[in-house]
Amino acid sequence: MVAALRAATFLVLFAAASVSAQIEGISYDAWTEVAERAETAVASGDVSTDTLEDVRSEVAAFRDRLLAQQNAGDPRLSTLQSQLNALGTPPEDGSEAEEIAQRRQELQRQINELQAPLLRAEEAYNRADGLIAEIDELIRSRQTEQLLRRGTEPLDPRLWGPAIKSLFQPLQAIVQDAITNWNSPTRRQAMTDQLPVILLLLVFSALFQFRAPKVVDRLGRWLRNKTRRGTGVWSAILSILRIMLPVIGLVLLVQAIAISGMIGERGVEVIYVLPVMLLVVLVARWLAAETFSPDDDTNTIALSHKRRTEARYYVNSLSWLLALNTLVAYLFEIGEWSIETQSVLGFIIHLFCGLILFRLGQILRKTGPQEVSLEPGEDETAYLSFPSRLARLAGQAAMVVGVVGPVLSAVGYYNIAEFLIFPTILTLGLFAFLLICQRFTRDAYHLVTGNELDENQSLLPVISGSVLTLAAFPILALIWGARVADLTELWARFQAGFSFGDTRISPTDFLTFAIVFVIGYVLTRLLQGGLRGSVLPKTRLDKGGQTAIVSGIGYLGIFLSVIIAITAAGIDLTALAFVAGALSVGIGFGLQNIVQNFVSGIILLIERPISEGDWIEVNGQHGTVRDISVRSTRIETFDRTEVIVPNADLVSNSVTNYTRGNTLGRLTVDVGVAYGTDTRKVEDVLYKIARNHEMVLMNPEPFVHFKGFGADSLDFDVRMILRDVTKILVVRTEINHQITEAFKREGIEIPFAQRDVWLRNPEALPGARPERESPPATSDSASDDQTSSDRERASDTERPSEPPSEAEEPQP
């Protein structure tokens, strides 16, 4: 362990010394020469693109070193600046002491001397940055001009003769060189001298091409038998080996032919492209076999068996066209074919590629579930997964390119057709490769854990997909014509960071900030866990106080972690003054409710008027406090629903806490008895019931209140203090049962309200009987008086049959 630490320390010191030497070793004379040469190349405009790329790489190397010198700085600057600040501001009237003034001048002189190299490096960096921008602009304009340049039309019959004639010229030249070399005794002798090496290469080439694939298959079967759950991982690895082994064998064969010296330099240049062509064919076939696999378990695209078979056929055909286009591009680059041959042969390749792309796009547009029954008018896209949606989109793009590319090639825009067709093919291949990598991640998870990965519940597929997508962006940019220098320029911009006031923030600063903050956050959580689990339970603090302390330490720890991380990253906090001012304006207008709830949450945690587990009532909602956060409080009602209450409501509104400090609470039970009942007897019965219940306290003792004379009954209520008010419903129910049973035993009647209904005009009702003879007037008058009196008495005595409802109470 000690040796490892010493080795790591040595490596760090060595790397630091190398960087320091690189920074100190900047030669501004050499830089000036490179910068002037770059300016001359840009100004002339007739320098080749390769020369511009070389000059750009030299300028970029100097720019990186200049940036490193700016970031390194000098640690003495901060010390001198703090000393100068300690002297304060010089007085305006010039009355400063001479010794202080001299000291101030000396410190300022030292600061200027230390800042001079940094300022020079900054000036040179800006010059280099501007030159790189000019070179990139010039190269891009040339690329655009070349892309839009129109060449010969391949449909012109006058071009076919010269094209066919030059088509076989490279092969004829290679055969002629081979015959000439074979007839030369010197060449034959040289080949004889190299014969052992040639034979050895041929033997290994045959082994790699014919014997090694069988060994790979045997190894695959052995791995599947030993680790059954890792079949997908081993299959992927072995399939890659099956690609590499034939290519290695062909490389050895080409090397043997090149060593023989029989085909000449031109033939060697041509045959070295053969392994590349074989690699293109094998990779395309591998992607087709893995993406459109006949096995449903390893298939990555949701298609029917028939369409998958057809897709594999088209991709395999496309692979040969890609290999042929590689050969055409190479022969044209080394000057073996004329422009007419490239145009005519390229158009034929573009035409067949376009037809295959169009058909392949039609197949990809059918991607999705194959056995889903849709209702009339229902959209099938609702059943598509994300890869299926991307496959359909890629299919539409392939169909468009399959039509546009050959048309542009036919009218002479060969470069644009080349730019559209083959990057589209490579993009489809990259998309297939990402799907295979995603499936490989799932198989690797199964191999390591032994469990199938549930993509609907696990976050791993999302994370792996995001990482693969980010990694694919640079490759996708290169496919669509971006230069490597463009990617390195993006990385350089990222390394340079950005300026924030007088402070330059680089990715190193972000990394330092992230590491320090994560360390502080972890330490805060560890401290919270120790307090919650070991320290606070041994104190006399209640649960609410413990929660307040743990929450307060959490907020304080996160705040200190942010401050320490910012300081460690070298970010000047004074630069955040503008941000703080903007936040103040935002708080004043749009964030005032959030800040109000935040402050209210802190007040709740400090004063603790409510705690977790309390039964409270706020805004008409009854429930138990389950969680108190900074912004809101979560209450669980007695219907088992969650209510989120803003903390400002708990601080500014009236809150009833039924269990604050203890669980004692009063229960009041109303009861009525019939008129004529012995009230003393009723009182004794009620006292006996209340005093004998186990949940009722005797101090203070229960009290029976004779409320008064009701319209239908003599009204009583029993008031008692319960040991646990949360059991109020259980106790109320039990008390009511006991009262009913006791009154039944004692013969005490519980009355209920009765109502008499009188009809004023019964004859007006449909189907009413004929009116009988009116009784004498005296009887009518008496009856009317009696009816009116009864009606008034019924109105006076009318009241609800149920007592007023109480507030909602907790369930037992």
Side-chain angles (χ1 to χ4, degrees):
M1 184 67 180
V2 175
L5 290 175
R6 289 179 179 175
T9 305
F10 173 76
L11 291 175
V12 172
L13 293 176
F14 178 77
S18 301
V19 173
S20 177
Q22 182 184 14
I23 294 173
E24 294 178 358
I26 295 178
S27 173
Y28 283 95
D29 294 336
W31 156 243
T32 302
E33 180 183 353
V34 172
E36 290 177 353
R37 185 151 46 90
E39 290 173 348
T40 302
V42 172
S44 62
D46 55 354
V47 180
S48 64
T49 302
D50 293 337
T51 303
L52 288 176
E53 291 283 5
D54 294 338
V55 172
R56 185 195 182 283
S57 62
E58 295 181 16
V59 175
F62 271 102
R63 185 183 64 174
D64 294 339
R65 298 168 62 186
L66 292 169
L67 178 62
Q69 183 172 5
Q70 290 184 65
N71 294 332
D74 196 321
R76 291 177 295 171
L77 270 175
S78 58
T79 303
L80 294 173
Q81 189 63 46
S82 61
Q83 289 177 291
L84 183 61
N85 295 335
L87 298 179
T89 304
E92 297 180 358
D93 55 1
S95 60
E96 186 176 30
E98 182 178 357
E99 182 180 359
I100 301 298
Q102 292 178 356
R103 182 59 180 166
R104 188 188 304 277
Q105 293 176 359
E106 176 64 18
L107 291 174
Q108 189 63 49
R109 183 187 65 79
Q110 295 180 16
I111 291 174
N112 293 336
E113 289 180 356
L114 294 177
Q115 285 181 342
L118 299 179
L119 295 177
R120 186 176 185 183
E122 183 178 0
E123 181 272 333
Y125 173 83
N126 293 330
R127 184 182 183 185
D129 196 53
L131 286 173
I132 289 176
E134 292 179 9
I135 293 174
D136 287 341
E137 182 65 26
L138 180 59
I139 293 176
R140 279 193 290 267
S141 64
R142 289 183 177 182
Q143 289 178 338
T144 305
E145 182 181 356
Q146 182 180 4
L147 187 65
L148 298 177
R149 184 180 303 161
R150 184 179 181 183
T152 57
E153 298 183 6
L155 299 180
D156 189 354
R158 292 174 297 179
L159 301 178
W160 296 353
I164 296 175
K165 182 179 179 180
S166 65
L167 180 64
F168 300 99
Q169 287 181 355
L171 180 60
Q172 294 174 355
I174 294 173
V175 172
Q176 184 64 35
D177 290 341
I179 294 173
T180 303
N181 292 330
W182 179 259
N183 294 328
S184 172
T186 305
R187 292 287 186 180
R188 287 202 305 270
Q189 183 62 37
M191 185 185 70
T192 304
D193 295 338
Q194 298 292 334
L195 191 59
V197 178
I198 295 173
L199 293 177
L200 184 63
L201 291 175
L202 291 176
V203 169
F204 278 105
S205 174
L207 289 176
F208 275 104
Q209 294 191 40
F210 302 107
R211 184 62 180 173
K214 297 181 180 179
V215 176
V216 170
D217 293 337
R218 191 178 307 166
L219 177 62
R221 288 192 296 268
W222 181 83
L223 289 173
R224 293 188 190 97
N225 294 330
K226 294 297 182 181
T227 55
R228 191 63 184 173
R229 66 187 184 190
T231 302
V233 176
W234 306 133
S235 298
I237 296 175
L238 295 176
S239 63
I240 295 176
L241 286 177
R242 292 192 191 94
I243 294 175
M244 301 306 300
L245 293 177
V247 174
I248 295 174
L250 185 58
V251 170
L252 295 177
L253 177 61
V254 168
Q255 188 65 26
I257 296 175
I259 291 176
S260 66
M262 287 291 102
I263 60 175
E265 295 182 358
R266 179 181 298 178
V268 171
E269 289 184 353
V270 173
I271 65 173
Y272 268 124
V273 78
L274 296 180
V276 178
M277 297 172 61
L278 179 61
L279 181 63
V280 169
V281 172
L282 294 180
V283 169
R285 290 190 171 188
W286 174 71
L287 291 175
E290 295 293 327
T291 306
F292 306 103
S293 174
D295 187 2
D296 293 334
D297 295 333
T298 59
N299 181 48
T300 57
I301 296 293
L303 287 170
S304 62
H305 287 276
K306 180 180 178 181
R307 289 197 177 98
R308 274 182 271 167
T309 303
E310 187 178 359
R312 288 197 303 273
Y313 170 77
Y314 285 123
V315 173
N316 292 335
S317 303
L318 201 60
S319 66
W320 290 105
L321 292 174
L322 284 173
L324 181 60
N325 185 74
T326 303
L327 179 62
V328 171
Y330 182 75
L331 292 177
F332 179 75
E333 184 179 356
I334 63 178
E336 294 292 337
W337 277 348
S338 63
I339 186 68
E340 293 82 3
T341 304
Q342 183 194 27
S343 178
V344 174
L345 186 58
F347 169 69
I348 296 174
I349 296 175
H350 293 166
L351 180 61
F352 282 104
C353 287
L355 294 175
I356 294 176
L357 276 178
F358 186 84
R359 180 55 188 156
L360 198 59
Q362 289 181 326
I363 296 175
L364 291 177
R365 288 189 62 187
K366 302 297 183 180
T367 303
Q370 304 298 315
E371 298 179 357
V372 176
S373 57
L374 300 177
E375 299 293 336
E378 187 177 6
D379 188 7
E380 64 172 351
T381 57
Y383 299 95
L384 295 179
S385 61
F386 183 70
S388 298
R389 295 176 186 270
L390 287 181
R392 290 196 172 195
L393 184 62
Q396 293 177 355
M399 292 177 64
V400 173
V401 173
V403 174
V404 175
V407 172
L408 291 174
S409 180
V411 297
Y413 289 101
Y414 178 87
N415 294 328
I416 299 181
E418 193 88 0
F419 176 77
L420 287 177
I421 293 175
F422 294 103
T424 300
I425 297 174
L426 294 178
T427 302
L428 293 176
L430 180 61
F431 173 65
F433 180 73
L434 293 179
L435 293 179
I436 295 172
C437 291
Q438 184 78 354
R439 192 188 67 197
F440 182 82
T441 303
R442 183 185 61 199
D443 295 337
Y445 178 86
H446 184 208
L447 174 64
V448 174
T449 63
N451 300 320
E452 292 288 346
L453 183 61
D454 189 355
E455 298 186 358
N456 295 326
Q457 298 181 357
S458 177
L459 194 61
L460 182 61
V462 179
I463 297 176
S464 61
S466 302
V467 172
L468 290 173
T469 303
L470 290 177
F473 273 126
I475 303 175
L476 191 64
L478 293 175
I479 288 175
W480 286 96
R483 298 156 35 232
V484 177
D486 295 332
L487 301 181
T488 57
E489 182 66 16
L490 290 176
W491 177 249
R493 295 293 182 185
F494 177 72
Q495 285 184 315
F498 60 93
S499 297
F500 194 80
D502 296 332
T503 304
R504 177 179 288 273
I505 302 177
S506 64
T508 307
D509 299 330
F510 281 110
L511 183 61
T512 303
F513 174 85
I515 292 175
V516 175
F517 176 76
V518 168
I519 293 174
Y521 181 81
V522 171
L523 292 177
T524 300
R525 292 305 184 193
L526 290 176
L527 179 59
Q528 285 181 296
L531 290 175
R532 185 186 295 109
S534 302
V535 179
L536 293 179
K538 299 178 182 179
T539 63
R540 296 183 179 180
L541 291 174
D542 59 0
K543 186 178 180 180
Q546 296 177 16
T547 303
I549 293 176
V550 173
S551 300
I553 289 177
Y555 299 136
L556 180 62
I558 293 175
F559 176 76
L560 292 178
S561 299
V562 172
I563 298 299
I564 295 173
I566 292 176
T567 305
I571 302 174
D572 188 5
L573 293 179
T574 57
L576 300 177
F578 297 104
V579 179
L583 287 177
S584 300
V585 175
I587 290 172
F589 286 98
L591 304 179
Q592 53 184 346
N593 291 333
I594 297 177
V595 174
Q596 181 183 11
N597 290 323
F598 180 83
V599 175
S600 300
I602 295 176
I603 293 174
L604 290 177
L605 292 175
I606 295 176
E607 294 185 355
R608 294 185 289 115
I610 61 174
S611 302
E612 292 184 13
D614 286 352
W615 169 23
I616 67 172
E617 176 189 2
V618 58
N619 297 333
Q621 294 284 348
H622 283 256
T624 304
V625 178
R626 293 305 182 193
D627 179 63
I628 302 175
S629 62
V630 177
R631 191 196 68 83
S632 60
T633 297
R634 182 167 57 89
I635 299 175
E636 181 181 342
T637 66
F638 304 120
D639 294 332
R640 295 297 184 265
T641 58
E642 297 281 343
V643 178
I644 308 301
V645 180
N647 287 332
D649 293 347
L650 298 174
V651 173
S652 58
N653 296 340
S654 297
V655 179
T656 302
N657 194 332
Y658 292 96
T659 58
R660 177 62 178 167
N662 55 68
T663 58
L664 299 180
R666 191 177 73 172
L667 169 63
T668 301
V669 179
D670 294 320
V671 64
V673 298
Y675 276 93
T677 306
D678 186 354
T679 57
R680 297 293 182 181
K681 183 178 180 180
V682 173
E683 187 178 41
D684 292 340
V685 172
L686 294 178
Y687 266 121
K688 185 182 297 184
I689 292 173
R691 289 169 179 169
N692 290 336
H693 200 283
E694 60 179 4
M695 291 296 296
V696 178
L697 295 178
M698 291 297 102
N699 186 20
E701 64 177 357
F703 178 70
V704 177
H705 178 214
F706 186 7
K707 294 167 50 175
F709 305 94
D712 300 313
S713 62
L714 300 174
D715 297 331
F716 292 81
D717 62 43
V718 187
R719 305 181 183 187
M720 59 201 86
I721 303 298
L722 304 183
R723 301 178 188 275
D724 188 355
V725 73
T726 61
K727 306 293 185 181
I728 189 171
L729 286 182
V730 177
V731 177
R732 183 193 297 275
T733 301
E734 181 62 26
I735 291 294
N736 286 333
H737 282 305
Q738 293 181 9
I739 289 175
T740 303
E741 294 169 356
F743 281 5
K744 185 176 182 181
R745 288 195 306 269
E746 299 296 334
I748 300 174
E749 180 185 357
I750 299 177
F752 56 89
Q754 298 185 11
R755 298 291 182 268
D756 292 334
V757 180
W758 295 83
L759 301 178
R760 179 182 294 274
N761 298 318
E763 67 279 359
L765 296 176
R769 294 181 180 179
E771 217 176 15
R772 291 182 295 181
E773 249 180 82
S774 299
T778 54
S779 298
D780 284 344
S781 177
S783 178
D784 290 342
D785 292 341
Q786 183 180 2
T787 301
S788 177
S789 175
D790 291 343
R791 190 163 51 248
E792 290 175 1
R793 182 168 59 86
S795 176
D796 292 339
T797 59
E798 185 175 354
R799 55 171 292 170
S801 61
E802 298 178 1
S805 61
E806 295 184 357
E808 187 179 359
E809 297 165 347
Q811 299 290 344

